[in-house]
Amino acid sequence: MNVKNITGRLVVRAGDFLGYALWKQSDGYHLSWTSTGKKSVTFQGTVTTPSKIRLVKVLNQESADEINESGNKLIEWNTEVKGQLEGFVFLTPEDFTLELKVNKKKCKAKTIFLGPQMTNPEKNPFTIMQKATGLSIEEAQKLYEMEQQEKAKRMAGAQAQADKEAEKARKKAEEEERKKAEIEAKKEVKAREKEEAKKKVEELVKEPKPEPEPAYVPEPEPEPEPAYVPEPEPEPEPAYVPEPEPEPEPAYVPEPEPEPESEPAYVPEPEPGPAHFPHVAFAPDSPYAPEPLYIHKPKTEPEPVYVPEPEPQPEPVYVPEPEPEPEPAYVPEPEPEPVPGPAHVPHVAFAPDSPYAPEPLYIHDAKPEPKPEPEPKPAYTPEPESEPEPEPELKPEEKEEKKEEPNEPESWNRDSWS
């Protein structure tokens, strides 16, 4: 067999099979053997080459195992295995021949696995050739491709076979578990039925015992209700008594002051004269003097009566239940009354003891009403007319000038003197 057919790594685990495995890697040729079960199995064999050979590494060698290299052309071994994996690694540049034995007998070719494809040799012993075989490059390439295809097919088949076996093992384990569960359930049902039947038999055999009368337990007396104790009522708060407000002072009504008597205006009297001399001054006792003209005296208005401004009333004090407060005294506006006297002096001020003086104003007390009335307006007091200022006394010269030019009354007619 050509060395190319065994080149590549082969994974071998302890207990996978009973036999040998051979493959080539970069570090050399690997030869391993294992067995199934814990039964003791012995492995013997030799590796021979016409040139030289070297033992590189020994795997899992025990104290009783023998793996030796002799004369640089031979490696032999004699080991005992109980399910574990053993072997060694060697190197050689020439072709080599293997003779493999199990229990000191040549093993069958089907128990020998070569290369990653796990092919079997034609016979045991067999030779691995490393030198050129005389094939052309194209033939060697075709041979290599065919070997790779066969290798892939074997690997796929082995994987499919392993998957099938794993699936079968899984189904078998599930079936066993199911059967065990059914058996356990049936056993439990039978045990329960036996127990029930046994109890029924015991009940039929035994005489029924009278049930003991229940012990008398007196009912607890109801607890007395607690006596009702009324809560003390809170003391009433003292009633609020507002402080009495001071009585309002009566409205101040000033007494009218007597007006001073005004002096009559000075009017020079014209002297009488003849009718054809209207501007002639007559003597006071002359029969020809005209009657004195009536001089209208200006109206004198009374002085204004002083009415004080009303003081501001205090704001009402807030009381929870206010009582109606007395309203301030209402002072009505005085109505002007006609003053008796001469018709040509309507606004003459009178003395307090004059019979023509008007009566004093009557101020009545206002009665309380439910609604407060607006504050009364101050009484209207007409503005007093300014009194005529007295004419200053004339000097004698001015008096003579006035006598020469007397004022002509409107009602005087010159024709009446003609």
Side-chain angles (χ1 to χ4, degrees):
M1 180 176 285
N2 196 308
V3 71
K4 293 180 180 180
N5 296 335
I6 64 172
T7 301
R9 184 176 180 180
L10 176 62
V11 178
V12 179
R13 291 183 292 271
D16 285 350
F17 54 87
L18 175 61
Y20 290 88
L22 175 66
W23 70 94
K24 182 184 178 183
Q25 287 185 196
S26 60
D27 57 346
Y29 293 94
H30 293 249
L31 180 62
S32 300
W33 54 88
T34 183
S35 66
T36 58
K38 296 182 180 181
K39 187 178 179 181
S40 176
V41 181
T42 60
F43 290 84
Q44 299 85 19
T46 58
V47 179
T48 59
T49 179
S51 181
K52 57 183 178 179
I53 191 169
R54 182 165 66 90
L55 184 62
V56 178
K57 184 180 179 182
V58 178
L59 304 175
N60 303 328
Q61 184 180 7
E62 297 182 358
S63 60
D65 295 341
E66 296 179 359
I67 301 174
N68 300 318
E69 178 185 350
S70 62
N72 294 328
K73 294 182 180 181
L74 175 67
I75 298 175
E76 57 183 358
W77 65 91
N78 185 9
T79 62
E80 184 179 2
V81 176
K82 293 182 180 180
Q84 69 267 25
L85 180 66
E86 291 185 359
F88 58 89
V89 180
F90 64 95
L91 290 172
T92 180
E94 300 291 336
D95 299 343
F96 58 92
T97 303
L98 294 92
E99 184 179 5
L100 308 177
K101 297 179 180 180
V102 177
N103 293 329
K104 297 180 180 183
K105 293 180 181 181
K106 291 181 181 180
C107 61
K108 295 180 181 181
K110 64 180 181 181
T111 61
I112 302 170
F113 303 97
L114 304 176
Q117 293 82 17
M118 300 182 72
T119 60
N120 304 117
E122 295 179 359
K123 60 181 180 177
N124 183 22
F126 59 94
T127 302
I128 302 298
M129 295 178 292
Q130 299 189 73
K131 293 182 179 181
T133 60
L135 297 175
S136 63
I137 297 174
E138 294 178 356
E139 291 176 348
Q141 184 68 26
K142 288 182 180 178
L143 182 62
Y144 177 73
E145 290 178 356
M146 291 175 63
E147 291 177 351
Q148 292 295 325
Q149 290 176 1
E150 290 178 0
K151 176 183 175 181
K153 289 180 180 179
R154 285 193 297 270
M155 292 294 293
Q159 185 65 33
Q161 187 66 24
D163 292 343
K164 288 181 179 179
E165 290 178 358
E167 184 68 19
K168 287 181 180 179
R170 184 182 64 79
K171 290 182 178 179
K172 186 177 180 181
E174 290 179 355
E175 186 67 20
E176 290 178 355
E177 290 292 334
R178 186 180 62 79
K179 289 180 179 180
K180 287 181 180 179
E182 289 179 356
I183 292 169
E184 292 293 333
K186 289 179 179 179
K187 287 181 179 180
E188 290 180 0
V189 171
K190 288 181 179 179
R192 193 180 305 111
E193 290 177 354
K194 286 181 179 180
E195 188 68 24
E196 291 178 356
K198 186 178 180 180
K199 287 182 179 180
K200 288 180 179 179
V201 172
E202 290 179 354
E203 290 177 357
L204 294 172
V205 171
K206 293 180 180 179
E207 295 180 359
K209 294 182 180 180
E211 296 181 358
E213 295 181 359
Y216 173 73
V217 180
E219 295 181 358
E221 296 181 359
E223 296 181 359
E225 296 182 358
Y228 173 71
V229 179
E231 296 181 358
E233 295 181 359
E235 296 182 0
E237 297 181 358
Y240 174 73
V241 180
E243 297 180 359
E245 297 182 0
E247 296 181 359
E249 297 180 0
Y252 173 73
V253 180
E255 296 180 358
E257 296 181 359
E259 297 182 357
E261 296 180 358
S262 59
E263 296 180 0
Y266 173 75
V267 179
E269 295 180 358
E271 294 182 1
H276 56 278
F277 297 107
H279 298 287
V280 175
F282 295 91
D285 56 350
S286 174
Y288 298 101
E291 294 181 359
L293 296 174
Y294 174 73
I295 305 300
H296 177 72
K297 293 182 180 180
K299 297 179 182 180
T300 58
E301 295 181 358
E303 292 184 359
V305 179
Y306 172 74
V307 179
E309 296 180 357
E311 296 180 358
Q313 297 180 359
E315 295 182 359
V317 180
Y318 174 77
V319 182
E321 296 180 358
E323 297 179 359
E325 298 180 359
E327 297 182 358
Y330 173 71
V331 181
E333 296 181 1
E335 297 180 359
E337 296 181 359
V339 180
H344 60 277
V345 188
H347 298 289
V348 175
F350 299 93
D353 55 349
S354 174
Y356 299 102
E359 295 181 0
L361 298 174
Y362 172 72
I363 300 173
H364 65 86
D365 295 334
K367 296 179 180 181
E369 295 183 1
K371 294 184 178 179
E373 293 184 0
E375 295 182 1
K377 298 180 180 180
Y380 173 73
T381 304
E383 296 181 358
E385 296 181 0
S386 60
E387 295 182 359
E389 296 180 358
E391 296 182 0
E393 294 183 1
L394 301 176
K395 296 180 181 180
E397 299 176 357
E398 295 176 354
K399 289 181 180 182
E400 291 178 1
E401 292 178 0
K402 282 189 176 184
K403 287 180 180 181
E404 292 177 1
E405 296 180 2
N407 295 328
E408 293 182 2
E410 296 179 359
S411 61
W412 185 72
N413 191 358
R414 290 184 178 179
D415 296 338
S416 62
W417 294 91
S418 58

